[in-house]
Amino acid sequence: MMLIDTHCHLDFPEFNQDRKEVIERAAEAGVAYIVNIGSSIEGSRRSVELARDYPFIYATLGIHPHYAKDVEGRVPEELRRLAKEEKVAAIGEVGLDYYRNLSPKDLQKSLFLDFINLAKEKNLPIVIHSREAHKETLEILKKEFKSGIRGVMHCFSADEEYLKECLDMGLYLSFTCNLTFKNAKGLRALARKVPVERLLLETDAPFLAPQEFRGRRNEPAYLTYLVKEHARIHGLSQGDIARITTHNAGALFGLPLKEEPKIAYAIRDSLYLNITNRCTNDCDFCTRNKGDFVKGHNLRLEREPAVGDIMKAVGDPLDFKEIVFCGYGEPLLRLDVVKEVAGRLKKKGARIRMVTNGEGNVIHKRSIVKELTGLIDRVSISLNVDTEKTYDKVCRSRFGSGVFNKIKEFTKECRDAGMEVELTFLDLDGVDLARCEEIAKKELGVNCRIRRYNVVG
Ligand code: NI
């Protein structure tokens, strides 16, 4: 497991006795990068020093709103100079804190604005601290970042409405180890609402140690407790949470991660095969248009893998509940490869599923279902919508109109060939989900699954 602690304060005096050991323990626990957060002039300076000393530590520059009055609401010259340092990954933590209100509100605001301008000038993301000042924080962010914001709302706690606003602005969110507290039910319910694609891990060490060490000093190695909690909350494996949040942190802070394109990629206990990036549809909602990654896996192939490459990438298929032809393209465009790979995996005792747009017969200008019989156990066919008209409009098959009905025919053939078939639909605006269910169950006699259009994998 490879983890990133995106927010801790190893410069604090709590670590003066054993800082080196704490950093070593973090590395042993799988923490590949640490973003050490500056929260004062001295702390920012010390963060930069730590980043110089350790290749896997990055620094941020910030002044906690508590100290806004000490700097008269202005970013000090020293921090402007430090912003030129190579390993400064962000501005923060900065923001507003009306809970303890240790500095006047107007000075907190002017300091926050000054830091926002520095972040813009240096093209750096921001790490935001907001306590009892959510409305004012949002107001400032909305005004200052009209075209989206690169940043994280750290140590998240509040309500669902605020959470939604933060997500709409494009922010990442992070929860600290207080998510593991026995009495943190409300916070866990909130965390469940955050798409994992927007989640970061943070300890905020030395503060907020996990339940097991509650009241004692926190440290980056304890990130593993947070991973366990997130895995439970999101119904993913710990490896999934680690990989996804590491990818997110790398993307936000510009950390040098090696994320090679994947032919085979695991999510939960299934192994997915990405054998082509080509597709015969050009769907509005296609995740390929949104980026290269699904659940932290890079799916943008540099070239299409041969059968041998695929078999090598699978390893032992019995390590997984099922092997799924899926990926960033339509697997049936490579029918021969599907047949060959499925045949070899079947001999090893694997259970095989295929996710397809259902256009296999149209692509090959013949019925191909017989050729797949005995090789594919389960097939998930993406019909996506309830009517031909909508299909033509949002899925834009290269075969033009009429494909909707051809997919239904393909579905029937798969069913009749004894495969376990499900039709999948998306909860897009204007799609009648009751009608979708009727098509699957009544008309075609197969299973029906409604997917949330923005959840992939
Ligand atoms: Ni902090």
Side-chain angles (χ1 to χ4, degrees), residues 7 9 93 154 204:
H7 192 121
H9 304 279
E93 59 191 290
H154 116 90
D204 205 13

Side-chain angles (χ1 to χ4, degrees), residues 338-457:
V338 168
K339 279 158 49 179
E340 179 67 27
V341 170
R344 290 198 199 181
L345 292 175
K346 207 74 211 147
K347 273 194 198 124
K348 296 186 177 190
R351 202 174 139 68
I352 317 261
R353 179 158 71 100
M354 185 173 56
V355 177
T356 173
N357 64 15
E359 294 175 15
N361 288 349
V362 189
I363 293 169
H364 297 284
K365 302 189 182 78
R366 65 174 192 273
S367 172
I368 60 162
V369 173
K370 274 204 183 66
E371 299 165 47
L372 296 170
T373 309
L375 296 176
I376 306 289
D377 300 292
R378 276 178 75 195
V379 55
S380 303
I381 301 166
S382 314
L383 192 58
N384 298 321
V385 298
D386 53 344
T387 68
E388 176 161 18
K389 202 172 147 215
T390 314
Y391 190 91
D392 289 347
K393 194 172 150 231
V394 303
C395 296
R396 291 188 296 270
S397 170
R398 87 154 71 120
F399 302 107
S401 196
V403 160
F404 188 76
N405 288 317
K406 296 272 168 51
I407 299 170
K408 285 187 185 176
E409 278 164 32
F410 181 79
T411 305
K412 268 193 244 171
E413 286 183 36
C414 289
R415 177 201 67 191
D416 292 342
M419 294 176 203
E420 192 182 324
V421 183
E422 71 174 0
L423 271 184
T424 62
F425 298 91
L426 293 174
D427 63 348
L428 298 167
D429 277 348
V431 170
D432 179 350
L433 299 180
R435 174 72 193 125
C436 294
E437 196 155 332
E438 210 176 276
I439 294 174
K441 291 187 176 158
K442 290 220 179 94
E443 188 182 332
L444 301 171
V446 299
N447 295 321
C448 175
R449 187 157 65 94
I450 311 289
R451 279 178 40 209
R452 280 173 49 201
Y453 84 93
N454 58 354
V455 178
V456 181

Side-chain angles (χ1 to χ4, degrees), residues 7-9 12 37 39 64 93 129 154 202 204-205 207:
H7 192 121
C8 66
H9 304 279
F12 277 31
I37 303 290
S39 58
H64 195 286
E93 59 191 290
H129 171 102
H154 116 90
E202 67 159 303
D204 205 13
F207 310 111

Side-chain angles (χ1 to χ4, degrees), residues 100-386:
R100 289 210 275 161
N101 243 329
L102 297 184
S103 276
K105 289 182 180 175
D106 57 332
L107 288 182
Q108 290 192 35
K109 275 189 190 166
S110 67
L111 181 61
F112 189 24
L113 277 170
D114 219 19
F115 269 119
I116 286 173
N117 285 325
L118 181 61
K120 284 181 180 169
E121 192 185 303
K122 301 289 175 193
N123 194 23
L124 288 169
I126 56 174
V127 179
I128 305 159
H129 171 102
S130 164
R131 200 156 177 210
E132 308 270 308
H134 299 332
K135 199 172 137 266
E136 291 85 348
T137 305
L138 286 178
E139 262 169 29
I140 291 178
L141 293 175
K142 276 184 190 162
K143 192 160 160 268
E144 295 300 315
F145 295 94
K146 293 216 168 63
S147 58
I149 168 173
R150 278 168 61 224
V152 52
M153 195 61 83
H154 116 90
C155 192
F156 194 86
S157 73
D159 52 31
E160 218 182 307
E161 196 189 339
Y162 179 56
L163 182 125
K164 197 179 165 299
E165 295 239 40
C166 290
L167 290 173
D168 286 348
M169 275 191 289
L171 285 168
Y172 289 89
L173 302 182
S174 63
F175 298 84
T176 67
C177 299
N178 62 354
L179 197 66
T180 67
F181 290 177
K182 267 203 190 102
N183 57 357
K185 257 194 180 157
L187 197 58
R188 285 190 284 271
L190 212 51
R192 193 169 291 123
K193 309 266 183 203
V194 181
V196 286
E197 289 74 16
R198 292 291 194 82
L199 205 59
L200 301 180
L201 300 178
E202 67 159 303
T203 57
D204 205 13
F207 310 111
L208 295 165
Q211 177 66 37
E212 285 80 350
F213 309 98
R214 194 162 174 182
R216 307 193 356 226
R217 186 187 70 178
N218 200 0
E219 60 174 82
Y222 296 165
L223 220 48
T224 49
Y225 294 88
L226 191 55
V227 170
K228 238 180 252 171
E229 195 63 59
H230 274 305
R232 266 198 291 270
I233 289 172
H234 292 280
L236 290 163
S237 72
Q238 291 181 45
D240 291 333
I241 293 291
R243 184 188 60 252
I244 296 163
T245 55
T246 291
H247 167 69
N248 296 344
L252 179 65
F253 295 110
L255 304 175
L257 302 178
K258 280 193 206 80
E259 298 178 296
E260 306 291 333
K262 299 255 182 81
I263 301 168
Y265 58 105
I267 300 176
R268 299 182 191 89
D269 43 12
S270 299
L271 186 71
Y272 294 82
L273 301 181
N274 180 36
I275 65 169
T276 180
N277 283 176
R278 291 177 292 140
C279 189
T280 48
N281 282 2
D282 176 23
C283 300
D284 274 348
F285 45 80
C286 184
T287 140
R288 287 184 306 166
N289 305 334
K290 292 177 192 140
D292 296 348
F293 285 81
V294 166
K295 292 269 186 286
H297 294 292
N298 180 1
L299 298 191
R300 195 70 67 189
L301 295 169
E302 277 152 15
R303 57 185 176 82
E304 294 193 337
V307 171
D309 303 327
I310 299 169
M311 292 305 293
K312 208 172 129 206
V314 171
D316 184 354
L318 299 185
D319 288 344
F320 302 92
K321 195 184 77 190
E322 58 174 1
I323 310 288
V324 190
F325 288 95
C326 184
Y328 253 4
E330 170 49 47
L332 288 177
L333 278 167
R334 301 190 74 199
L335 178 61
D336 290 342
V337 172
V338 168
K339 279 158 49 179
E340 179 67 27
V341 170
R344 290 198 199 181
L345 292 175
K346 207 74 211 147
K347 273 194 198 124
K348 296 186 177 190
R351 202 174 139 68
I352 317 261
R353 179 158 71 100
M354 185 173 56
V355 177
T356 173
N357 64 15
E359 294 175 15
N361 288 349
V362 189
I363 293 169
H364 297 284
K365 302 189 182 78
R366 65 174 192 273
S367 172
I368 60 162
V369 173
K370 274 204 183 66
E371 299 165 47
L372 296 170
T373 309
L375 296 176
I376 306 289
D377 300 292
R378 276 178 75 195
V379 55
S380 303
I381 301 166
S382 314
L383 192 58
N384 298 321
V385 298
D386 53 344

